[in-house]
Amino acid sequence: MFEWSDLRIFLAVARAGSTLKASRALDIAQTTASRRIQALERETGLSLFIRRTTGYALTEHGRALLQQAERVEAEVLAFEAEAGRVRRLSAGVIRITAPETMFAHLLAPILLAHRRAYPEVRLEQISSEAVLDLEAGEADIAFRATDNPGSDTLFAQRLPDLAWTLYCSPHYAAEHGVPRGMAEVRQHAIVMFDSKLAQTKWGQWLSAHADPDRIAARTNSVTNMVGLLRASFGVGLLPCLEGDNAGLIRCIDPPPPDLAGSWWLLVTPEAHRLPAVRRFTAFAAKRLRAQRRSLRGEPVMPAMPTSGPAGPGPVVR
């Protein structure tokens, strides 16, 4: 049997190209790294590295074993993650991930109500626009905006769709008016999504309706979009959950049906086996479904001000 610590050092040296860099990455002595590589070579009966003055390079044998060592690494990391998850869940700690908007406007009161009902359960919140890997143990429960909930191994509950529409600030509306329909969007300054959000259906929808010469600014987050719209840069897309709570004006109301976003509550099978997790998911899903009308942008808000000429507004280059 080979020591995992030796395989770990083997991988570090292969990736860093030297025992010095590998030892720094692993926080061990360089002599220890060199000695363990030699021990691994003795145990395998193979020469794994070519020693050069410039560093270490994998031999043909080393390259042949690299992929297998990486598989061992993946299994060890999975074991560590699962051990951590079991330890956390056994202690009554449930780790939940969701976008910042959902935590701020929807989940916070639900988490508080759950805490009052079940004070023995501790809920850890990870606010992230990135998709955390539930199966790797990065979280136990995810509230995720997606048309495809992903892995077939996860328990998935569909939540009410979340409405999106165009928003602008009252100041922008008073000065430039608001688009009364999608055909008028091209007459206005636009705040576009950037990076990954630009590839979503919301980013693509706005790109299709906006005049590229009137793009006032770009942002890679919903939170930054709120700030830019409040500063009157122009018109931009937001979930109604965010826009209606930000002191902004809906430009198109009711929200376009094709912009509604699917939401899912996802749970790993391991977490789902625990009564506390099943109790929380049922608790949260019931309360979110009770808010179906507000999530879909209902009821319709009062008529928007449309006075003032339509114009490009401020443009940032």
Side-chain angles (χ1 to χ4, degrees):
M1 296 294 292
F2 301 110
E3 294 280 350
W4 157 239
S5 58
D6 290 349
L7 295 181
R8 180 166 168 256
I9 293 171
F10 166 73
L11 287 169
V13 174
R15 291 163 178 166
S18 77
T19 54
L20 177 60
K21 292 180 180 178
S23 65
R24 288 172 176 170
L26 299 177
D27 194 23
I28 61 175
Q30 183 181 8
T31 54
T32 299
S34 299
R35 187 173 66 252
R36 298 316 305 166
I37 290 296
Q38 292 170 10
L40 184 60
E41 289 179 322
R42 285 196 303 271
E43 291 169 3
T44 59
L46 299 170
S47 175
L48 302 176
F49 290 98
I50 301 170
R51 278 75 167 173
R52 297 171 177 162
T53 56
T54 56
Y56 278 48
L58 285 169
T59 63
E60 182 179 349
H61 295 150
R63 288 193 299 272
L65 293 177
L66 179 62
Q67 185 176 5
Q68 302 303 321
E70 289 175 335
R71 290 175 60 185
V72 173
E73 178 186 46
E75 292 298 329
V76 169
L77 293 177
F79 179 88
E80 290 177 347
E82 185 60 22
R85 173 161 48 195
V86 171
R87 184 169 57 250
R88 184 175 68 248
L89 293 174
S90 298
V93 179
I94 301 173
R95 184 173 293 170
I96 302 166
T97 181
E100 185 176 358
T101 293
M102 196 164 200
F103 270 130
H105 300 299
L106 279 179
L107 292 181
I110 292 175
L111 296 179
L112 177 60
H114 185 274
R115 180 183 178 184
R116 288 172 172 168
Y118 306 100
E120 71 280 5
V121 178
R122 185 156 58 92
L123 303 175
E124 291 186 353
Q125 304 165 48
I126 305 176
S127 176
S128 175
E129 300 297 332
V131 177
L132 299 189
D133 191 341
L134 299 186
E135 292 170 300
E138 293 182 338
D140 306 309
I141 299 171
F143 293 87
R144 190 168 293 168
T146 178
D147 292 326
N148 179 9
S151 172
D152 294 336
T153 63
L154 297 176
F155 287 87
Q157 294 185 59
R158 183 160 183 170
L159 300 172
D161 289 352
L162 187 61
W164 286 62
T165 192
L166 286 172
Y167 286 87
C168 67
S169 71
H171 176 79
Y172 179 92
E175 187 172 354
H176 305 287
V178 298
R180 290 178 290 273
M182 290 177 284
E184 295 186 12
V185 173
R186 295 182 65 84
Q187 302 172 26
H188 289 264
I190 295 294
V191 180
M192 296 290 292
F193 282 124
D194 202 359
S195 191
K196 291 183 179 180
L197 281 174
Q199 306 306 315
T200 64
K201 68 178 179 181
W202 304 290
Q204 293 176 358
W205 182 92
L206 190 53
S207 180
H209 290 88
D211 182 346
D213 292 332
R214 291 186 172 179
I215 295 176
R218 296 180 183 271
T219 177
N220 64 350
S221 79
V222 170
T223 301
N224 289 344
M225 175 67 79
V226 171
L228 291 168
L229 296 184
R230 280 176 169 170
S232 300
F233 271 80
V235 173
L237 275 175
L238 285 172
C240 295
L241 179 69
E242 183 79 50
D244 291 348
N245 286 284
L248 298 170
I249 292 174
R250 289 190 191 184
C251 298
I252 296 180
D253 199 20
D258 57 332
L259 288 183
S262 301
W263 279 90
W264 295 82
L265 194 163
L266 304 173
V267 187
T268 63
E270 294 79 11
H272 191 262
R273 295 190 188 105
L274 297 178
V277 172
R278 293 196 302 272
R279 186 167 56 233
F280 171 79
T281 57
F283 187 95
K286 178 180 179 181
R287 283 156 180 76
L288 289 170
R289 291 186 178 115
Q291 301 180 59
R292 180 178 286 103
R293 290 192 64 192
S294 62
L295 294 178
R296 291 179 176 174
E298 304 173 23
V300 177
M301 296 180 68
M304 277 15 90
T306 56
S307 60
V315 175
V316 173
R317 295 296 183 190

